[in-house]
Amino acid sequence: MSVPNGFDTLTSGLASIVRLPFGTIVSSPPTSKNVPSILALYDMEGNTDCRLVRERISELDLDVEIIIPAGDNSRAAKDSSYKYYVGEATTNIPRLVIDDESGERVYAGRDDVLGWLADEFGPRQPIVEENEEELKKKVVEFLVLLGEPLPSFLRFRRALDVAGCARSLETPRPSKPLILYSYEGNQFCRLVREVLSELDIPYQLKSAGKGSSKRAELARLTGGSTKCPFLIDPNTNSEISESKDIIQYLYKNYAIFAPPNGILGFISNIITPVLKPLFKVLAPLQAGSSSENKAGYETEILVAEAEIKEENESNDVVIYTYSLSPFCSEAVAVLDSLDIDYKEISLGLEWVPFLISEEGARKRVALGVMTGQTSLPHVFVNGKSIGGLYEGLLPSLEDGTFQNLLKVKENPKGKIAVEGSFE
């Protein structure tokens, strides 16, 4: 997930709307002083069963000492040296660890966890009054059941596993848990929780839904605001209140790189196989291969090849781009997140006729002759082509190829990893 855009905000908002009023308003907070402590919740943000449990936790205004991402490739599932490792137990989530007068106990699976919450704090207040018509009750029950999986559909494939930018063993990790003031029904809180889950970052949850006793606490911390989300990082003494700022902070401090837009990746998988053959045919034509002066054309391509070699000899990292291409913009943003020096060379506005310069067209043909790739972006590291964004740059960062080619183990901020990952 990249820094959220308008589409992310829209779909997250719709995900909240289809679940109203669940997970938004504190409806039945505990009245007893002897409230059991929720020590841990093993959770996947994008999982429907986990969301139903988090909704109830928000409604009950409960805090969770630590929420642990538990996707199939998370440290909780794969790393036996990890403090919160439970191995195959992550296949039965949500997994709640509580401590009460009887000691520490574990409840695993949606029904067991929701059952314990109902037994301990009472059932959820009905949406429809008991004296309402039976038909109305049935309709409401059906709509509620229908709405359960919709948020996961609207936020398709989000926060179900650890992102590639956080799988390396060398990924920076917070030594102390982050603290998040949040509630389930808030669209901006969801965006932050998704990133925390995808970066495999455990955090302490402070439930702060509408009517929460934590709203006053939040106001004291922020100087008057009770808006969620609000993140506290005791590792850096940072306090951040806007979802976009929080997400940028998380990527900067706890990821190898900031990933590009997922929707573009989906589009790329569809259109790239279709367009690549077209690019190979169109590139020489745009560069002048059909002209009568064949010798002059071939000479110009050789000159362009020499320029490419010189550009890559003079710079450790070179990226060839189009100014208007969203794929190129995302690739540049990924390189920016690495805090390394690189040279960007634009071949024009876009690949379509009249938008690419003559020199750019010739250089694109030369790139094809040298590497077999005429599509952009095109990234080189120490003179070696690693390809485009989704089929080249990202995989090379995830498996360490990029870093090894760059011949450094880490940049000044310690964000470049070399090897090792949980798959």
Side-chain angles (χ1 to χ4, degrees), residues 61-324:
D61 203 26
L62 299 174
D63 292 343
V64 181
E65 290 190 19
I66 196 77
I67 289 186
I68 303 152
D72 290 342
N73 62 345
S74 65
R75 289 178 292 162
K78 296 292 185 181
D79 183 4
S80 59
S81 67
Y82 184 42
K83 178 180 180 180
Y84 302 113
Y85 173 75
V86 290
E88 292 185 358
T90 57
T91 60
N92 191 17
I93 58 171
R95 177 183 173 89
L96 193 74
V97 183
I98 66 103
D99 186 18
D100 59 13
E101 295 175 348
S102 302
E104 188 173 309
R105 286 178 289 164
V106 176
Y107 296 88
R110 158 184 163 173
D111 293 340
D112 280 358
V113 176
L114 289 176
W116 177 79
L117 289 171
D119 292 341
E120 188 68 35
F121 303 104
R124 173 183 273 156
Q125 296 177 1
I127 300 177
V128 181
E129 298 294 335
E130 285 296 326
N131 58 1
E132 293 285 353
E133 296 179 5
E134 195 64 28
L135 177 60
K136 183 176 181 179
K137 290 182 184 178
K138 294 293 185 183
V139 171
V140 171
E141 288 176 3
F142 173 75
L143 292 176
V144 168
L145 186 63
L146 183 66
E148 285 185 2
L150 285 181
S152 296
F153 173 78
L154 289 164
R155 300 297 294 152
F156 179 67
R157 290 299 307 166
R158 293 312 314 272
L160 291 177
D161 52 20
V162 179
C165 62
R167 292 177 189 166
S168 167
L169 293 173
E170 301 300 323
T171 302
R173 307 289 188 187
S175 58
K176 302 175 185 176
L178 309 188
I179 303 167
L180 180 68
Y181 287 80
S182 169
Y183 62 96
E184 184 61 29
N186 184 289
Q187 68 193 92
F188 299 104
C189 293
R190 178 179 293 104
L191 298 175
V192 170
R193 294 194 310 266
E194 285 176 347
V195 174
L196 285 167
S197 184
E198 290 171 347
L199 295 185
D200 205 4
I201 299 175
Y203 62 95
Q204 181 182 357
L205 173 67
K206 293 276 193 177
S207 292
K210 296 177 181 179
S212 169
S213 60
K214 259 72 60 97
R215 289 287 177 113
E217 180 181 318
L218 192 52
R220 288 195 297 272
L221 287 169
T222 62
S225 173
T226 60
K227 290 196 306 182
C228 293
F230 182 73
L231 183 80
I232 300 174
D233 186 350
N235 302 280
T236 60
N237 295 319
S238 299
E239 297 182 354
I240 317 166
S241 58
E242 294 292 333
S243 60
K244 183 176 181 179
D245 293 339
I246 292 172
I247 290 169
Q248 288 177 328
Y249 172 85
L250 292 173
Y251 282 136
K252 182 177 180 180
N253 289 276
Y254 300 118
I256 299 299
F257 60 91
N261 188 291
I263 297 174
L264 282 179
F266 178 76
I267 294 172
S268 176
N269 289 335
I270 297 173
I271 67 171
T272 299
V274 176
L275 291 179
K276 273 192 173 182
L278 175 62
F279 292 152
K280 288 187 177 182
V281 173
L282 189 61
L285 294 175
Q286 289 179 310
S289 64
S290 60
S291 68
E292 295 182 359
N293 186 1
K294 297 293 185 182
Y297 166 77
E298 293 174 357
T299 299
E300 289 173 341
I301 300 304
L302 290 173
V303 169
E305 288 183 38
E307 290 176 354
I308 292 170
K309 290 178 182 178
E310 182 181 350
E311 289 160 353
N312 280 279
E313 288 172 358
S314 304
N315 301 275
D316 291 337
V317 179
V318 178
I319 179 170
Y320 296 90
T321 65
Y322 298 125
S323 301
L324 297 182

Side-chain angles (χ1 to χ4, degrees), residues 6-20 151 154-155 185-191 194:
F7 184 78
D8 289 309
T9 303
L10 172 63
T11 53
S12 184
L14 291 174
S16 294
I17 290 171
V18 298
R19 291 299 294 160
L20 285 174
L154 289 164
R155 300 297 294 152
N186 184 289
Q187 68 193 92
F188 299 104
C189 293
R190 178 179 293 104
L191 298 175
E194 285 176 347

Side-chain angles (χ1 to χ4, degrees), residues 346-364:
S346 175
L347 302 191
L349 297 177
E350 256 293 2
W351 63 269
V352 296
F354 310 112
L355 291 183
I356 186 171
S357 66
E358 290 184 7
E359 180 184 353
R362 291 192 291 269
K363 192 165 284 188
R364 183 168 68 145

